[in-house]
Amino acid sequence: MKPRVYIETFGCQMNVADSERAATGLRASGYDLCQSIDEADVVLLNTCSVREKAERKVYTRIGEVRAARPDKRDLLVGVMGCVAQLEGEAVFEHASSVNMVIGTRATDRIPVLIERAREGERRVLDLGERGEQDSWDVSPVERHSPHVAFIPIIEGCNKFCSFCIVPYSRGREKSRPASEIVAETRRLQALGYKEIHLIGQNVNSYRPRVEDGLEGFTGATPFCRLLRAVAATGLPRIKFTTSFPRDFHPDIVTALEENPNLCDWVHLPVQSGSDRILKLMRRGHKRSDYLERIQRIKNSSRRLALTSDIIVGFPGETDEDFHETVTLVQECEYDSLYIFKYSKRAGTPAAEFHDNVPETEKTARFLELEKVHRAAQEKIYRSYVGRKLSVLAERQSSRSESDLTGHSTCHKVVNFKGDNSLEGEIVDVVVTEAKTNSLYGSLV
Ligand code: 5AD
Ligand code: SF4
């Protein structure tokens, strides 16, 4: 029987995409993939280190994995993803039962690394760079959904925001050739995928070495040209995330206005509303620059949903600074907002700053900002009641067997009554009820 590998994924969409690629490579090398620890010969944990809490989870999980299989002494455990890349050898010290540490650019080499561990090598470590010939191919069976697919367009980050570990865990920005991205979009379309997400830490910083595949497409930046090229395939729903404010050219909004299959949603993290804190965060944009981008989005001829990320309690954040964030959130009226308490990441510049905001104050600011955001969000969600949304029926709802759940083009979770035969279809739903973070409706 073929050895079976179980992959568990934490963190962002880039990790989901890496797990899909890892699974594709493993199957091509003669492994089977399985859905639980109980059946596995090899367990891979694809990890996240963006905040301390995420990182701590890894070590708890390694313990749980071992405890779940006391019968299987030869079970191999590998740590991949951001924690692996950042901690390297130290993972073996923290968790002696780990057999493999696989960095963020070693995905293609996983089958070989597992072979080495199977042959008895005690501590297999690979923190190397990608190979020139590395493949981005993902087999449809390994995708996280049969209807929605992630296409990485740019990896890594060159921005070095002072709080963020990503430039260290994922390395420098590297854009994929546009011809490859367009070809993958076409393949997915032929397979019946209804929605793709162009993903990357900063998608709008997309800058391939040569622009093959974008000939004939206009646009103020390579990303704007790529958006138009991908839209021209005719795939029904195209989303992209995450955008970076400094590189967010207004032509992106123009591209959305021209192409209905580019979805009506922009995720544009601001992190803080205070210029003083933005400077300490080394974001490279001011509050006014950000609000200018938002103006263009809000003034669009399409109603575009807007979401963001914010960090509260950054070192040195005063009541006045926090107040600036509150007023920015009031002004932007986000459809959705991810609020995080600042978490110190070793190796980042901000880790050297004196963190003078007590934990209780961070929590208080978190709760206050959440309240301010909820008020705006409730108003927005209520405004959808009575309106028709185009929804991709992704799967049966976990709450009720007679309900389907999916996302609207504006990336809201929409639940509605309907049977399984509709799964994978794009349907019109009239919203009847607004809940926190989701909408309920009925099929037209
Ligand atoms: N502490 C708290 N939140 C962070 N993020 C990134 N680094 C940190 C940190 N050190 C948040 C940012 C980013 C999101 C993905 O995670 O808001 O946009
Ligand atoms: Fe981190 Fe800033 Fe890069 Fe985003 S842009 S991944 S917050 S360094």
Side-chain angles (χ1 to χ4, degrees), residues 381-414:
Y381 273 50
R382 269 203 312 271
S383 77
Y384 279 95
V385 175
R387 276 172 55 189
K388 193 170 73 181
L389 289 177
S390 164
V391 179
L392 172 57
E394 285 160 47
R395 57 190 161 78
Q396 204 171 56
S397 155
S398 52
R399 297 246 181 87
S400 155
E401 274 190 14
S402 58
D403 280 3
L404 290 171
T405 184
H407 286 86
S408 62
T409 53
C410 57
H411 210 58
K412 296 193 170 51
V413 173
V414 183

Side-chain angles (χ1 to χ4, degrees), residues 112-243:
V112 181
L113 301 173
I114 294 180
E115 278 319 302
R116 278 166 50 190
R118 273 156 58 90
E119 280 161 15
E121 193 175 321
R122 292 278 302 283
R123 294 178 162 189
V124 178
L125 175 75
D126 186 339
L127 304 180
E129 288 303 317
R130 271 176 163 283
E132 275 305 311
Q133 301 302 318
D134 275 11
S135 154
W136 288 88
D137 289 352
V138 173
S139 150
V141 294
E142 316 301 354
R143 295 216 180 248
H144 70 284
S145 154
H147 316 300
V148 181
F150 293 160
I151 305 185
I153 66 164
I154 179 170
E155 275 197 311
C157 184
N158 292 351
K159 306 294 188 285
F160 290 92
C161 299
S162 64
F163 53 82
C164 186
I165 199 72
V166 168
Y168 310 91
S169 62
R170 291 217 160 245
R172 294 298 74 73
E173 280 172 9
K174 190 155 178 251
S175 297
R176 255 178 102 183
S179 52
E180 242 181 72
I181 297 166
V182 173
E184 189 171 345
T185 307
R186 290 229 165 81
R187 276 199 303 277
L188 290 165
Q189 188 178 17
L191 288 164
Y193 282 86
K194 299 284 166 42
E195 181 170 311
I196 60 163
H197 292 208
L198 306 176
I199 62 167
Q201 246 71 46
N202 298 298
V203 282
N204 53 344
S205 310
Y206 178 73
R207 199 164 293 279
R209 241 180 317 145
V210 284
E211 287 203 20
D212 62 321
L214 297 182
E215 302 86 357
F217 293 99
T218 57
T221 64
F223 180 62
C224 297
R225 294 192 276 284
L226 179 72
L227 278 179
R228 289 185 173 94
V230 173
T233 63
L235 192 130
R237 295 157 59 117
I238 299 153
K239 297 178 179 175
F240 54 95
T241 180
T242 295
S243 297

Side-chain angles (χ1 to χ4, degrees), residues 218-273:
T218 57
T221 64
F223 180 62
C224 297
R225 294 192 276 284
L226 179 72
L227 278 179
R228 289 185 173 94
V230 173
T233 63
L235 192 130
R237 295 157 59 117
I238 299 153
K239 297 178 179 175
F240 54 95
T241 180
T242 295
S243 297
F244 185 67
R246 205 173 59 205
D247 296 343
F248 193 88
H249 197 284
D251 189 36
I252 295 173
V253 180
T254 310
L256 303 195
E257 288 166 347
E258 292 165 359
N259 297 282
N261 60 338
L262 297 179
C263 288
D264 42 351
W265 166 49
V266 177
H267 181 58
L268 197 59
V270 64
Q271 313 298 0
S272 170

